[in-house]
Amino acid sequence: MRLKKDSSEQKLRGAYYTPLMLADAMVGLFVDDSPRSILEPSCGDGVFIDSLFSIGMLDRADSLTAVEIEESEAQKVQDRYHEAENVNVLAEDFLVFYERCYQKERFDLILGNPPYIRYQYLTEKQREIQAQILTSHGMKSNKLINSWVCFLVACVQMLSDTGKLAFVIPAEILQ
């Protein structure tokens, strides 16, 4: 078993980037929709935003909120979309964003590739927030739950009444 001290920074923050072809296929599922508000809770290099832009969906939306914990990655996305008035890139932990916004923000479309972070790699604050999110929605929190589960639960709670969600998730969800 690999110890936290032996893991790469990328592994510790669960940063696995989605290929453009997969992002395009996922965004293509919504090409006929007109979501007014879009959330990308872990935008990384912005591949889903690029896909939304390439098919014109970004222009049709009132707002797109992109959250990215890694400040340098968030800055790259911000630099690329700085002229788009409806794009708001936030350099912060999605769990903190959720705590601040889940009772007042709703989104018509939430899509992305959540981080895959083992429980033992989370900070104490992230563990506390994750436990609160899971237990407040009737789930048990334990030391085996990967961060993508919490992201999925949190994002479902942030959907509008007719909202849709598309995530890259592991096959283990079928277990």
Side-chain angles (χ1 to χ4, degrees):
M1 177 155 135
R2 179 173 266 193
L3 299 175
K4 184 175 180 178
K5 67 180 182 63
D6 298 325
S7 295
S8 70
E9 186 274 331
Q10 179 183 10
K11 173 87 172 171
L12 292 175
R13 67 182 176 92
Y16 296 96
Y17 291 87
T18 308
L20 181 60
M21 193 162 79
L22 178 55
D24 285 345
M26 289 172 63
V27 168
L29 297 170
F30 308 102
V31 70
D32 294 329
D33 295 353
S34 296
R36 303 311 317 154
S37 56
I38 303 170
L39 173 65
E40 215 294 35
S42 54
C43 75
D45 62 359
V47 69
F48 287 96
I49 302 167
D50 295 342
S51 292
L52 290 163
F53 177 78
S54 72
I55 64 169
M57 281 184 74
L58 196 54
D59 293 333
R60 298 192 315 255
D62 292 337
S63 66
L64 180 139
T65 302
V67 182
E68 174 54 43
I69 195 169
E70 183 63 31
E71 193 169 333
S72 63
E73 291 294 284
Q75 189 59 55
K76 288 177 195 174
V77 176
Q78 180 61 49
D79 291 346
R80 206 159 58 248
Y81 290 98
H82 71 275
E83 292 182 9
E85 293 181 16
N86 62 339
V87 175
N88 183 24
V89 180
L90 304 172
E92 71 178 308
D93 186 330
F94 171 70
L95 298 179
V96 173
F97 170 83
Y98 173 82
E99 267 194 325
R100 189 179 74 249
C101 300
Y102 83 96
Q103 291 194 354
K104 56 187 172 191
E105 298 251 8
R106 293 291 176 259
F107 298 91
D108 299 324
L109 177 61
I110 301 175
L111 75 167
N113 187 351
Y116 294 78
I117 307 171
R118 291 179 176 179
Y119 180 87
Q120 64 266 29
Y121 294 172
L122 297 171
T123 66
E124 193 57 40
K125 180 171 176 60
Q126 289 171 322
R127 289 176 185 177
E128 290 170 12
I129 297 171
Q130 179 169 296
Q132 189 279 325
I133 290 169
L134 295 173
T135 57
S136 70
H137 298 297
M139 300 177 71
K140 292 181 180 177
S141 179
N142 65 50
K143 295 179 181 182
L144 299 176
I145 296 178
N146 194 292
S147 64
W148 71 263
V149 175
C150 180
F151 265 65
L152 185 62
V153 170
C155 286
V156 166
Q157 300 307 312
M158 295 186 85
L159 284 171
S160 66
D161 290 340
T162 59
K164 297 178 181 180
L165 182 136
F167 267 1
V168 177
I169 54 174
E172 74 182 274
I173 195 169
L174 302 173
Q175 300 300 316

